[in-house]
Amino acid sequence: MKKISENLSNIRESLPENVVLVAVSKTKENVEIMEAYDAGQRIFGENKVQELCRKWEALPKDIQWHMIGHLQRNKVKYLAEFVSLIHGVDSVRLLREINKRAAASGRVIDCLLQVHIAEESSKFGLDEQELQEVLNQEFLAGLPNIRVRGLMGMATFTEDEDQVRKEFRYLKSLFDQLPAFLEKADILSMGMSGDYLLAIEEGSNMVRIGSSIFGPRESH
């Protein structure tokens, strides 16, 4: 297998300038993350809070850590001090908890609202009605330590390209409505190793790529 730095270089070449690459480093060792770091990568995504905190403590402090997995409210306090972006905000209660912990840390935390776009029931996310409730300006005004930067979604895991496109297109249509509610809505996070090129074609400007950089993931 090619080295991580070569994989990273190849992926970067495939990305338009406006697309941000989140290197998904879950289950990967610090030495592997440092290989990507030495190749210029500074944004990494993790899906387990304990692992994220451990890596944050051990690795260079100019790394931007993104929480990309499902986040439980009782775990927010552990990452509020340092997390750069929380991708999977899927409930009002979670937003309130992030705001509370961000205030305690003297920070404003950037968040993405996760919308359920897949046909699989296992994926988390807000439906369209819940999204409208969260985007209520009065509600958001009561959360001064949160900055909603955009949306995130995960397409159905399927070989059916048309279905994946349809789901990404739906999320993009919701994203296009955000300026009516938010001052700064500039991130549409959709697309992973298997479908990121499709996601970019449908308007994504942030992709989460792991196995195509680091190789197959061990079960975790």
Side-chain angles (χ1 to χ4, degrees):
M1 201 193 87
K2 288 179 184 172
K3 289 170 63 175
I4 289 166
S5 57
E6 290 179 55
N7 292 341
L8 201 48
S9 176
N10 290 337
I11 286 166
R12 284 206 188 109
E13 284 175 16
S14 73
L15 299 179
E17 276 185 25
N18 69 313
V19 176
V20 174
L21 171 62
V22 181
V24 178
S25 49
K26 60 185 184 182
T27 79
K28 298 303 174 183
E29 299 297 328
N30 289 354
V31 65
E32 296 172 281
I33 296 171
M34 281 307 298
E35 188 175 334
Y37 178 91
D38 290 340
Q41 183 64 22
R42 291 294 181 273
I43 303 175
F44 293 88
E46 293 283 332
N47 71 337
K48 289 191 163 58
V49 171
Q50 194 173 357
E51 186 178 348
L52 174 55
C53 292
R54 199 168 61 241
K55 289 174 176 175
W56 170 71
E57 286 175 3
L59 291 165
K61 289 298 178 275
D62 62 335
I63 289 176
Q64 295 178 41
W65 292 104
H66 289 199
M67 178 64 194
I68 61 172
H70 179 63
L71 179 58
Q72 295 171 297
R73 294 197 314 282
N74 63 350
K75 301 279 180 69
V76 174
K77 57 179 179 265
Y78 299 113
L79 49 75
E81 181 188 337
F82 67 88
V83 71
S84 289
L85 183 65
I86 298 174
H87 284 237
V89 179
D90 58 3
S91 73
V92 166
R93 293 169 76 193
L94 178 57
L95 269 176
R96 288 196 173 113
E97 183 67 20
I98 295 168
N99 182 70
K100 174 180 150 186
R101 298 298 178 179
S105 298
R107 297 186 66 213
V108 175
I109 295 179
D110 286 346
C111 297
L112 301 179
L113 302 175
Q114 181 172 359
V115 180
H116 187 276
I117 59 172
E119 289 193 354
E120 298 150 337
S121 58
S122 60
K123 298 242 175 26
F124 295 98
L126 304 162
D127 62 28
E128 197 168 341
Q129 185 179 343
E130 290 168 326
L131 179 64
Q132 298 294 339
E133 289 168 11
V134 169
L135 290 172
N136 179 295
Q137 287 176 324
E138 201 173 309
F139 170 70
L140 288 176
L143 302 173
N145 292 84
I146 279 179
R147 187 186 298 115
V148 177
R149 292 286 300 278
L151 303 180
M152 183 272 254
M154 297 168 70
T156 303
F157 187 68
T158 174
E159 296 292 316
D160 185 346
E161 197 174 291
D162 289 339
Q163 183 177 342
V164 173
R165 277 190 187 280
K166 184 179 73 176
E167 290 166 0
F168 285 151
R169 203 166 286 163
Y170 169 64
L171 189 59
K172 175 64 162 64
S173 73
L174 295 177
F175 176 73
D176 288 341
Q177 297 170 35
L178 289 186
F181 304 95
L182 300 169
E183 279 181 34
K184 185 168 188 179
D186 57 354
I187 299 174
L188 179 55
S189 172
M190 58 187 194
M192 299 185 289
S193 286
D195 58 16
Y196 76 93
L197 292 173
L198 278 183
I200 290 168
E201 286 176 17
E202 297 302 334
S204 174
N205 60 16
M206 181 175 282
V207 293
R208 310 176 300 275
I209 300 178
S211 55
S212 295
I213 295 172
F214 295 104
R217 192 168 290 118
E218 295 131 38
S219 57
H220 195 58

